Every structure is written in structure tokens, then in C-alpha cells.
Amino acid sequence: MIVIVKPQATAEQMEHLLERIRQFGLQPMVSTGSERTVVGLLGDERLLPEGALESLPAVEQVMPILKPYKLVSREFKSTDTVIDVRGIPIGGKQIQVIAGPCSVETPEQMRSSAEAVKAAGCRLMRGGAFKPRTSPYTFQGVGDEGLDYFRTAADAVGLPIVTELMDVRKIDLFLEKGVDIIQIGTRNMQNFDLLKEVGRLDVPIILKRGLSATIKEWLMAAEYVAAHGNHRIIFAERGIRTFETAYRNVLDVTAIPVLKRETHLPVIVDPSHAGGKAWLVPQLSKAAIAAGADGLLVESHPCPEEAWCDADQALSPQQLMTLMGDLRKIAEAIGREL
């Protein structure tokens, strides 16, 4: 259920409304848009007597939300959410490309990667210090010191960093190192304890779609984060598992407009993990932007053939620069900016 607040409601009337909601054992969640303020009610709405809020001076209308996902739905907030990351908007008119290596390897590799990402015109950088791998015998990431390599390299060229969190025990380390965006990977999309913990942070979250997750399951995973207070959520489509074996995963381009209809939150796409091959990345990237994605997560490496992880899907610095040029043309054609 949501309460639509009157435009002329005073601060005193607003506080009275919130206190009244709490008296019924419900938690109010306020969303202030450019034109409207709405209050979402979290908890057992059966505790709320019929007509208990409609007569309050601040209330214009009380409406039920029929979707099981409340806070991330378009019903809760009709306008698009734009998430600010150190002055860089994710969502809205601008499209952001987040590029960098699959894994952090060495200080030199990260320095070269950061310089190439910056030179290509990307405004944020990705890189994994901790890597979830299917086999326990493959490279699992550099670990704690990898965050230092990443932070130092990115800071040298002024890029915010995006990296994956796998373990709640690493949250304090991530906060200490100033990770700008925390990524929740596909294998942890339904790690509900992890989602609850990042929901308590004031750090933007990239939530990747699970390998076999439905749109509803994905939205409900985001609701776990939002229900614990963190509404700075970015959806990332990265391909789903089907019967097809010709490529790594099937990029669900249809998910982009569907999510745009269902949620007010930004939607980005990871073409690298979807295709699994560098030659597929440009085409999938262009399709994603044309379909309305707010950004991309692209893997790039100073020397892809020497990458310690996912070498086949990493773009070279020159390939990344060429891709950025092509994407600018598409962005312009659809009335957006890159």
C-alpha cells in the first residue's frame, strides 16, 4: 500500500502521518519525486483499519500496490530513479559504460587497465578482487590486496570503482576501501542474508540476474535490499541459461523494456558474460543500448590473451575505444548521451 501526499502538506502534517503509520505497527518508507511524495507501508497491512489514513490532512489518496515487490515497483515511484555515484548519474538521459578487467591481477595490470578505460571515455571502472568460480581449482581472485591495487589505479585517473561482494564478512573491508558500487553477482542473487546486509548500507548496489531467475524473482531479490533501507539499486542483465550451447548465455534483451515498465530503478547490461566471446560484445552492447539500457558492464584488459580470467571475452584497449565511438552514435540516435 502507498499513500500519496498532498503537494501542499506541511512538515508537521507529514510527521503526523508517519507517526500514525508507525502506531499501527507498519514501517513508512518515503519517496520524494520531482512532482509527488509517496509513502510506502511495509509490514502486515491487515493491522491498518479501513479508512485510518484517508482523513489525515497530509493524505491525498491511499492506494494498494498489487505487485509482491513494493518499493522497487513503478506503482511506488512513477518517475525514473537516477543514482548518483560521485557526481556520475546512472539512469536518466546519460548512458554509462563501466569497463575494466574481469579480475584484479597485479598493480601494473590495473594501472594499465585504468588508463585504457579512462582514455576510451568510460566514467567508471570494474574489476574483481574476489571471484566466484564454478571449479574450486581455478583462480579465485587476488583477495584483500587486490582492492588496494584497484583503488590506487582507479584513483590515479579519477574513476569510481565497481567490484563484487561475495561474503558479508568483507563488508567492513569494502567500506574501508571506499568501494563506490558493490556488485552482487549472479550466484548470489538469492543469497538473502547478503541482500539484507547490503540493504543496510548507503552504497549503490548492482544486482545481477541469476542464471535461471525469472523477472519476478529478480525484482523480489531487489526488494530484499530496498526493504532494509537501501534504494540505490541497479539491475544488471547478464544472460540466462537455456538449452543453447553455441554461446555462453542468452542475453535477454526483452528483459530491458520489461524492467523499465515494472521498476523505476536503472537497468544495465553485461554483454561480456552473456556472449562469452569478445567478438560478440560489440553487437550485444549495441542491441542493449538500442533497447533502452542505462549502461553496460564491459570486460576489457590491456592484453586480453594474458588475462588470468575470462580471457576470451575481454576487449583490448583499441576495441573498447572503437566500441565507445559506435555506442555514442546509437545514444545520439535515441536521444540520449554517452
Side-chain angles (χ1 to χ4, degrees), residues 215-325:
I215 297 289
K216 181 180 177 181
E217 289 169 337
W218 193 10
L219 287 161
M220 291 303 295
E223 190 75 9
Y224 262 91
V225 179
H228 285 78
N230 190 349
H231 295 190
R232 301 170 74 191
I233 306 164
I234 302 158
F235 289 94
E237 161 64 34
R238 47 83 67 208
I240 54 176
R241 177 176 290 165
T242 70
F243 55 83
E244 185 55 72
T245 58
Y247 34 83
R248 185 170 181 174
N249 295 293
V250 175
L251 179 63
D252 186 5
V253 178
T254 310
I256 302 168
V258 170
L259 280 176
K260 285 291 187 177
R261 180 183 176 90
E262 292 295 312
T263 180
H264 55 89
L265 296 167
V267 180
I268 65 174
V269 168
D270 181 343
S272 303
H273 280 92
K277 298 292 181 182
W279 63 269
L280 279 170
V281 171
Q283 306 308 323
L284 298 182
S285 299
K286 295 170 190 176
I289 297 304
D294 297 303
L296 300 171
L297 274 170
V298 177
E299 289 192 3
S300 62
H301 193 282
C303 190
E305 60 270 21
E306 297 179 6
W308 296 2
C309 177
D310 287 343
D312 286 352
Q313 65 195 41
L315 300 183
S316 69
Q318 184 56 54
Q319 288 172 323
L320 178 62
M321 191 168 291
T322 300
L323 175 61
M324 290 293 288

Side-chain angles (χ1 to χ4, degrees), residues 158-173:
L159 293 173
I161 66 173
V162 178
T163 194
E164 182 171 351
L165 176 69
M166 297 168 53
D167 190 333
V168 294
R169 293 171 295 182
K170 295 295 183 183
I171 287 178
D172 287 343
L173 176 66

Side-chain angles (χ1 to χ4, degrees), residues 199-215:
R200 297 184 175 99
L201 304 178
D202 185 23
V203 180
I205 304 298
I206 287 178
L207 181 64
K208 282 198 167 186
R209 186 180 185 179
L211 282 171
S212 303
T214 64
I215 297 289

Side-chain angles (χ1 to χ4, degrees), residues 64-136:
I65 295 181
L66 303 179
K67 304 283 175 60
Y69 39 91
K70 313 288 187 185
L71 300 174
V72 305
S73 73
R74 279 279 180 195
E75 292 173 283
F76 178 66
K77 185 172 183 285
S78 60
T79 57
D80 290 339
T81 291
V82 178
I83 296 173
D84 182 273
V85 183
R86 285 170 48 185
I88 301 168
I90 299 181
K93 188 174 182 179
Q94 286 194 18
I95 296 168
Q96 304 299 342
V97 177
I98 307 168
C102 174
S103 64
V104 176
E105 298 166 8
T106 66
E108 294 75 18
Q109 169 251 6
M110 291 306 291
R111 185 163 49 250
S112 297
S113 294
E115 291 170 354
V117 169
K118 182 74 171 182
C122 305
R123 300 181 68 190
L124 302 100
M125 185 175 176
R126 64 173 292 167
F130 306 91
K131 299 300 300 179
R133 305 302 299 278
T134 302
S135 170

